[in-house]
Amino acid sequence: MPLLPEESVDAEDDLEITFSRAGGKGEERSRLANKTKALSRLKAKLLVIALEQRASEIKQIRGDAVKVEWGQQIRNYVFHPYKLVKDVRTSDIASVMDGELDAFIKAYLKYKCTMNVSATATGAN
């Protein structure tokens, strides 16, 4: 587990610490040493939880990553010996080449909006 510096987190004010004596024979340990060890483990566990939450937030922001491989492209451009735009969403090469991309942008924004709404509806964070 990752270790935190002693002064980085001060959680002792929020904790209720109780002491009890162990029964039977055994090696005596210092209460201070036990408390220090327990607090360091607690801080490490809290750090792991915080890192996992941060990674989850970053993954949610970035979305699903798709490898850029053959067959994954949405659009292919060929300029020579002829002009061709192979796109699963359009067949109008002239408008695409003239920069009329509003339809694509609107479709993407609608898609992202529906994905966010469906994720909210299912209770995903």
Side-chain angles (χ1 to χ4, degrees):
M1 283 188 192
L3 297 177
L4 291 173
E6 290 297 320
E7 63 277 350
S8 65
V9 176
D10 187 23
E12 290 186 46
D13 297 336
D14 298 332
L15 298 177
E16 179 182 334
I17 300 173
T18 59
F19 297 100
S20 61
R21 293 193 177 266
K25 296 182 179 178
E27 180 180 325
E28 283 209 17
R29 289 187 255 167
S30 151
R31 285 185 183 174
L32 180 62
N34 287 343
K35 178 181 171 184
T36 305
K37 193 176 201 179
L39 285 176
S40 68
R41 285 185 179 179
L42 176 62
K43 289 176 185 179
K45 288 181 181 183
L46 291 174
L47 176 64
V48 168
I49 292 170
L51 291 174
E52 287 174 353
Q53 287 176 345
R54 179 70 179 144
S56 174
E57 290 172 1
I58 290 172
K59 184 179 179 183
Q60 184 178 5
I61 291 169
R62 291 182 72 189
D64 294 331
V66 178
K67 289 185 178 181
V68 181
E69 295 176 343
W70 184 255
Q72 297 294 329
Q73 296 91 354
I74 295 171
R75 189 178 309 121
N76 295 317
Y77 296 93
V78 177
F79 293 106
H80 187 71
Y82 49 87
K83 289 185 179 180
L84 172 71
V85 175
K86 181 180 177 187
D87 193 322
V88 296
R89 300 173 294 181
T90 186
S91 60
D92 186 11
I93 185 171
S95 65
V96 172
M97 298 309 294
D98 289 338
E100 296 175 16
L101 302 174
D102 291 340
F104 298 117
I105 295 169
K106 287 178 184 177
Y108 174 74
L109 292 175
K110 284 182 184 177
Y111 168 76
K112 287 299 277 186
C113 183
T114 57
M115 293 303 289
N116 288 339
V117 168
S118 67
T120 304
T122 58
N125 291 329

